[in-house]
Amino acid sequence: MRSIVIHKAKDLRIEETQLDTLKAGEVLIRIATGGICGSDLHYYNHGGIGDTIKVKEPMILGHEVSGYIEELGEGVSGFAVGDLIALSPSRPCNNCQYCAEGLQNHCENMRFYGSAMPFPHIQGAFREKIVANANQCVKANGLTAGEAAMGEPLSVCLHGVRRAGEMLGKKVLITGSGPIGTLCVLAARAAGAAEIIVTDLEDAALAYATKVGADKVINMAKASADLDQYKAGKGYFDVLFECSGAAPALAAGISTMRPRGVVMQLGLGGDMTVPMQALTAKELDLRGSFRFHEEFEIAVRLMQQKQIDVRPLISHTVKLDDAIKGFEIAGDRTQAMKAQIEFST
Ligand code: ZN
């Protein structure tokens, strides 16, 4: 079977890899769709993420996938051959102290697909077939394979919204209109946010935020003064979802926050400077949000119940043979929001 393997920066290959044998409790999945994430793009463009995470051996990329069940291992129930499933890339050990506390996203032995954080690296899911634990699978009946593959990034945003606390009636600023920023629009709205404003430097990216229901968008490259009205008095927004990982976006966002607001950092841009004085004087809460766990199943359900429609965000779908072209498209913010690879139909 073919897989998409990163060797080093700009050296991405479609090559043959071996399929694991199916064991008890596992299922064999024919991968249908895989979404290209920002971290996949970092591995492709830079051979790593930041200064600390580097690709040191060939690694199969990918962690946003859906597929069809092809075979059930011994003892697996609740699934049938042919079922469309969303596959969670989150594989905690369920044995460490954080797993015991229900904080699986902080598992000390996490084996998250397509991550060069540990060595040997954790191989990813951009492959024609994969053997996975049945408990990673969530039935996605009624969804397209593309939607099912959006379960993962949507889970990241649901986790962020949950970390932000009460959302009902809140005024929300989202900095960064990439896939996570736009999915945060949907997640915050589903949780009851009253007003959502999104900033970015790219009009094409902001158009997607508008498409999924942002009340207003501001291009900070062209019209940063439009944000000034929200700095008046002691600020305006109750919650900031910082999804760009860029220090200027965080600083601009904090300047618009009202006292006791919550600053949620989701963007991963390495270490950045924080306007600490404003944080102190306005009594803001600065919180991080990293990955997800139980939100994965909730994400799939919310899409099935049509409470969240991610389809407008899927901008490109390419065949496996064109995967490298897909990575180039995914990295071009003037045209792509979420680019996906079709492994099979
Ligand atoms: Zn654990």
Side-chain angles (χ1 to χ4, degrees), residues 32-33 65-68 82-87 138-152 154 296-311 314:
T33 301
V65 294
S66 64
Y68 296 96
D83 278 346
L84 174 68
I85 54 101
L87 178 62
V138 176
K139 272 202 229 180
N141 311 22
L143 300 183
T144 65
E147 283 176 283
M150 292 290 269
E152 198 274 349
L154 179 56
F296 190 79
E297 194 169 343
I298 300 169
V300 174
R301 297 281 169 266
L302 288 171
M303 289 190 285
Q304 286 175 319
Q305 293 163 355
K306 307 292 175 207
Q307 295 190 53
I308 288 182
D309 184 1
V310 299
R311 289 172 298 179
I314 302 171

Side-chain angles (χ1 to χ4, degrees), residues 220-270:
M220 294 297 285
K222 294 178 181 171
S224 63
D226 287 0
L227 197 68
D228 290 346
Q229 59 186 298
Y230 304 106
K231 299 176 186 172
K234 285 207 158 194
Y236 185 80
F237 295 104
D238 301 296
V239 181
L240 166 63
F241 291 102
E242 203 302 294
C243 301
S244 73
L250 175 66
I254 284 177
S255 70
T256 66
M257 295 295 290
R258 51 170 291 147
R260 302 237 169 143
V262 176
V263 178
M264 288 301 315
Q265 184 64 41
L266 278 97
L268 293 163

Side-chain angles (χ1 to χ4, degrees), residues 117-177:
M117 242 187 263
F119 186 87
H121 302 335
I122 310 299
Q123 299 295 319
F126 281 175
R127 31 181 145 176
E128 289 178 298
K129 293 190 179 190
I130 193 166
V131 170
N133 207 299
N135 68 16
Q136 291 171 248
C137 301
V138 176
K139 272 202 229 180
N141 311 22
L143 300 183
T144 65
E147 283 176 283
M150 292 290 269
E152 198 274 349
L154 179 56
S155 305
V156 169
C157 299
L158 293 175
H159 186 72
V161 166
R162 174 181 264 178
R163 291 271 305 132
E166 179 73 55
M167 200 55 52
L168 198 65
K170 300 291 185 187
K171 299 180 195 114
V172 173
L173 177 66
I174 297 173
T175 52
S177 188

Side-chain angles (χ1 to χ4, degrees), residues 305-323:
Q305 293 163 355
K306 307 292 175 207
Q307 295 190 53
I308 288 182
D309 184 1
V310 299
R311 289 172 298 179
L313 300 175
I314 302 171
S315 61
H316 296 77
T317 305
V318 302
K319 303 275 188 204
L320 174 56
D321 289 329
D322 297 324

Side-chain angles (χ1 to χ4, degrees), residues 92-99 107-109:
C93 74
N94 288 319
N95 213 13
C96 71
Q97 64 161 322
Y98 295 106
C99 284
C107 173
E108 294 178 280
N109 311 300

